[in-house]
Amino acid sequence: MDRAVAPNEAAVVRWLLEYAAVGDVAAYRRRPVEELRVLKGCDCGCSSLDFQPNAWGGAEIIADAFAIYSDGQQAGLILWGRDGEIALLEVYDCHPNASHRFPEISDLRSIAQGM
């Protein structure tokens, strides 16, 4: 898989950088999010997206948030970066299989907002 980031995926990444940043993310805003390429999805069926080869290698958490879906299920989102480049968007389960849905902006909550 090698494709352009979808508009809804780019919107979620932008939201994470704006409202859920962990520390200074200025370096990660230099490149437009719309230029990201999705190189790989996760084999487990979750909505995680790799934007770099070997996305986990040396990456650091740059944003952390939750998705709370209309049915009450929740997933966590962690945006990982390395050397000023966005590496990976991790979507993980808080409820079984909640990570298999890609969230909408309206589902997102920062850690400060709570679950």
Side-chain angles (χ1 to χ4, degrees), residues 8-90:
N8 64 318
E9 295 164 346
V12 167
V13 170
R14 273 194 307 279
W15 187 95
L16 289 167
L17 290 170
E18 180 70 25
Y19 299 106
V22 175
D24 181 8
V25 294
Y28 296 97
R29 293 177 183 217
R30 289 189 183 119
R31 180 177 172 205
V33 172
E34 292 76 20
E35 292 180 4
L36 288 172
R37 301 285 306 168
V38 177
L39 301 181
K40 176 180 171 215
C42 188
D43 295 334
C44 80
C46 73
S47 299
S48 296
L49 303 171
D50 288 8
F51 301 115
Q52 291 184 2
N54 187 27
W56 293 99
E60 63 180 353
I61 295 173
I62 58 174
D64 194 3
F66 294 102
I68 303 176
Y69 300 104
S70 60
D71 63 3
Q73 290 214 341
Q74 299 172 13
L77 288 89
I78 299 176
L79 190 62
W80 296 83
R82 178 178 54 231
D83 301 325
E85 297 287 332
I86 296 169
L88 166 75
L89 173 57
E90 177 184 5

Side-chain angles (χ1 to χ4, degrees), residues 16 46-48 64-69 71-78 90-103 107-109 111 115:
L16 289 167
C46 73
S47 299
S48 296
D64 194 3
F66 294 102
I68 303 176
Y69 300 104
D71 63 3
Q73 290 214 341
Q74 299 172 13
L77 288 89
I78 299 176
E90 177 184 5
V91 184
Y92 64 89
D93 288 334
C94 294
H95 288 101
N97 297 321
S99 66
H100 292 219
R101 299 184 262 181
F102 197 84
D107 300 323
L108 300 179
R109 307 288 181 277
I111 299 297
M115 293 174 62

